[in-house]
Amino acid sequence: MLDSLQHTPKHKMRTYMTYSKLSLDLSKYQLENSSEIIIGKDVLAESANILAPWMDSDTHLHIVSDTTVSKLYLNRLKAVLYRNFSNISQTILPCGEHTKSPETLQMLWSDFAQNELTRNSCVISFGGGVVSDTAGFAASTYLRGIRYVTMPTTLLSMVDASVGGKTAINLASGKNQAGTFWQPSFVIADTSLLQTLSAQDIEEGFAEIIKCAVMADKTLFSQLLDHAPLGSNLAIHEKNLDWLTNIVITCVNIKKTLVEQDPFDMHGVRIRLNLGHTFGHAIEAASNYTLPHGHSVAIGLCMMGRISQKKGWCSKETADAIENCVRAYNLPTESPYQSEELLAYLKRDKKRTDHALNIIVPKSIGTSSVMSVSFETLSDLIKLA
Ligand code: GLY
């Protein structure tokens, strides 16, 4: 699946003292591409230096961004990259979940061809999860796969979408129904960029962060409750940005640990990252993507908490704590859709097997488990939510 030539460094990698660097190491699976994940305030300014040891200065870099991010930051990124690279082109996508479509994929392939990208080129996704999912899919399939770097600009994509190599588009039948696994060679997450996010974008990121805490990290959950009164102003003050940078590092570490054990989501380990997503994806699709991903995940998380409590799999304190934390970050807790409507989407969930669906159940704050349930059981469970 992976081209070893793509990932051979030309010379030893520099160290970046002021940023946190994590390595997502897949070498034990004989996968040559591991991701270097660099997280920190103002790390965008270092992006050319980070990439330079891995690519010749005439490597063609093709940036894929969206209309919002490109207006704010594209000129800054290109000015930095031009210090070490001479051949840079770009595609700017419309914002919004509807961009994750077969038509956009086709358009990206055409743009890659028109810009004469080769197997030596590198696609850089510069935006949120919509951009990285779609650009990653295009990069993984064009010429059977070219190098790929993610530069996430939203909180949600920093803690989840940009890390771990899942790419996807949506089909009429549901969310993320077509996609590939294609690890980015680098994830460069500049947390200073979070300062221009809307309150809704920050809230969406917190849905994934709360998910991480409920799933695997009790200490993170306590930290979230302690900071909750600051609400969505979190990114604006320097001290909060430091806190948020550490939260991003914590969540990426949790994700890295699970992805390293189960990169292709086949062994019941990585799937835990989908806590809240089973119902969340169904709600998002039922709303025709008018309800944002993070908000749908928050509702899905609360639904799983309520089900878990009513089945005796977790305590009332745990279910209440999940809901209180979700509310504290201004996120919704109740589904606007009836269970019958959601069941139709659940039947198309990627986590289904022939007759069952894997659900992720919170057991207590910081622990969760995977259960395989039949569709009959699922239709009973969803009525408890
Ligand atoms: N977003 C879930 C995963 O990467 O597996």
Side-chain angles (χ1 to χ4, degrees), residues 40 64 81 88 142 167 173-174 193 200 214 231 235 252 309 334 358 384:
V64 181
L81 292 175
I88 302 174
Y142 189 70
T167 81
S173 52
L193 307 187
Q200 179 183 306
V214 173
V252 169
Q309 181 212 331
E334 306 290 331
N358 289 319
L384 303 175

Short mmCIF file of all heavy atoms in Angstrom, two decimals, residues 40 64 81 88 142 167 173-174 193 200 214 231 235 252 309 334 358 384:
data_model
loop_
_atom_site.label_atom_id
_atom_site.label_comp_id
_atom_site.label_asym_id
_atom_site.label_seq_id
_atom_site.Cartn_x
_atom_site.Cartn_y
_atom_site.Cartn_z
N GLY A 40 2.19 23.08 18.30
CA GLY A 40 2.66 24.22 19.10
C GLY A 40 2.15 25.53 18.57
O GLY A 40 1.68 25.63 17.44
N VAL A 64 -4.23 22.23 -0.46
CA VAL A 64 -5.69 22.21 -0.58
C VAL A 64 -6.24 22.88 0.67
O VAL A 64 -5.91 22.49 1.80
CB VAL A 64 -6.24 20.77 -0.70
CG1 VAL A 64 -7.77 20.80 -0.84
CG2 VAL A 64 -5.61 20.05 -1.89
N LEU A 81 6.53 28.74 3.08
CA LEU A 81 6.97 27.60 2.26
C LEU A 81 7.91 28.04 1.14
O LEU A 81 8.85 27.31 0.78
CB LEU A 81 5.76 26.86 1.69
CG LEU A 81 4.88 26.12 2.71
CD1 LEU A 81 3.64 25.53 2.05
CD2 LEU A 81 5.66 25.03 3.44
N ILE A 88 4.83 25.76 -5.93
CA ILE A 88 3.65 25.63 -5.04
C ILE A 88 2.38 25.98 -5.83
O ILE A 88 2.32 27.02 -6.49
CB ILE A 88 3.76 26.58 -3.82
CG1 ILE A 88 5.05 26.28 -3.03
CG2 ILE A 88 2.54 26.44 -2.91
CD1 ILE A 88 5.33 27.24 -1.88
N TYR A 142 -4.64 9.48 -6.19
CA TYR A 142 -4.06 10.04 -7.43
C TYR A 142 -2.71 9.37 -7.70
O TYR A 142 -1.86 9.30 -6.81
CB TYR A 142 -3.90 11.56 -7.28
CG TYR A 142 -3.52 12.22 -8.58
CD1 TYR A 142 -4.43 12.30 -9.63
CD2 TYR A 142 -2.23 12.71 -8.78
CE1 TYR A 142 -4.07 12.87 -10.84
CE2 TYR A 142 -1.87 13.29 -9.99
CZ TYR A 142 -2.81 13.36 -11.01
OH TYR A 142 -2.45 13.90 -12.22
N THR A 167 -9.18 8.83 5.59
CA THR A 167 -9.67 9.84 4.65
C THR A 167 -11.06 9.40 4.22
O THR A 167 -11.38 8.21 4.29
CB THR A 167 -8.77 9.95 3.40
OG1 THR A 167 -9.12 8.89 2.49
CG2 THR A 167 -7.30 9.88 3.72
N SER A 173 -25.73 7.49 0.84
CA SER A 173 -26.11 6.48 1.85
C SER A 173 -25.60 6.80 3.25
O SER A 173 -26.02 6.18 4.21
CB SER A 173 -25.60 5.12 1.41
OG SER A 173 -24.23 5.19 1.11
N GLY A 174 -24.68 7.74 3.39
CA GLY A 174 -24.22 8.05 4.75
C GLY A 174 -22.87 8.73 4.79
O GLY A 174 -22.20 8.91 3.77
N LEU A 193 -3.57 29.34 15.42
CA LEU A 193 -4.63 29.54 14.43
C LEU A 193 -6.02 29.37 15.05
O LEU A 193 -7.01 29.82 14.48
CB LEU A 193 -4.46 28.57 13.25
CG LEU A 193 -3.09 28.54 12.56
CD1 LEU A 193 -3.14 27.67 11.32
CD2 LEU A 193 -2.63 29.96 12.17
N GLN A 200 -18.69 28.32 17.68
CA GLN A 200 -19.22 27.01 17.29
C GLN A 200 -18.09 26.04 16.93
O GLN A 200 -18.13 24.86 17.29
CB GLN A 200 -20.17 27.13 16.10
CG GLN A 200 -20.69 25.77 15.68
CD GLN A 200 -21.59 25.82 14.45
OE1 GLN A 200 -22.56 26.56 14.43
NE2 GLN A 200 -21.25 25.04 13.44
N VAL A 214 -13.84 10.93 28.28
CA VAL A 214 -14.79 9.90 28.76
C VAL A 214 -14.25 8.51 28.41
O VAL A 214 -14.30 7.58 29.21
CB VAL A 214 -16.19 10.11 28.13
CG1 VAL A 214 -17.13 8.96 28.49
CG2 VAL A 214 -16.79 11.44 28.59
N GLY A 231 -15.68 28.59 28.90
CA GLY A 231 -16.49 28.37 27.70
C GLY A 231 -15.72 28.57 26.43
O GLY A 231 -14.55 28.25 26.31
N ALA A 235 -9.86 30.06 23.37
CA ALA A 235 -8.68 30.23 22.51
C ALA A 235 -8.17 31.66 22.52
O ALA A 235 -7.10 31.94 22.01
CB ALA A 235 -9.04 29.83 21.09
N VAL A 252 -4.06 13.93 21.19
CA VAL A 252 -3.32 13.29 20.09
C VAL A 252 -2.55 12.07 20.63
O VAL A 252 -2.47 11.03 19.96
CB VAL A 252 -2.38 14.31 19.40
CG1 VAL A 252 -1.41 13.61 18.45
CG2 VAL A 252 -3.20 15.33 18.63
N GLN A 309 -26.28 3.76 31.38
CA GLN A 309 -26.83 3.83 32.75
C GLN A 309 -28.07 2.94 32.88
O GLN A 309 -28.18 2.14 33.82
CB GLN A 309 -27.18 5.28 33.09
CG GLN A 309 -27.72 5.43 34.50
CD GLN A 309 -28.74 6.55 34.62
OE1 GLN A 309 -28.68 7.54 33.88
NE2 GLN A 309 -29.66 6.41 35.54
N GLU A 334 -29.57 16.30 23.39
CA GLU A 334 -30.73 15.50 22.97
C GLU A 334 -30.82 15.43 21.45
O GLU A 334 -30.62 16.43 20.76
CB GLU A 334 -32.04 16.14 23.47
CG GLU A 334 -32.10 16.42 24.96
CD GLU A 334 -32.20 15.16 25.81
OE1 GLU A 334 -32.75 14.16 25.31
OE2 GLU A 334 -31.70 15.19 26.96
N ASN A 358 -21.04 -2.71 16.08
CA ASN A 358 -20.21 -2.51 17.27
C ASN A 358 -20.52 -1.15 17.86
O ASN A 358 -20.45 -0.14 17.16
CB ASN A 358 -18.73 -2.60 16.90
CG ASN A 358 -18.32 -4.01 16.55
OD1 ASN A 358 -18.75 -4.96 17.21
ND2 ASN A 358 -17.52 -4.17 15.52
N LEU A 384 -33.93 3.69 24.76
CA LEU A 384 -33.54 4.09 26.12
C LEU A 384 -32.80 5.44 26.14
O LEU A 384 -32.57 6.03 27.19
CB LEU A 384 -32.63 3.04 26.76
CG LEU A 384 -33.15 1.60 26.85
CD1 LEU A 384 -32.09 0.67 27.39
CD2 LEU A 384 -34.40 1.58 27.75
#
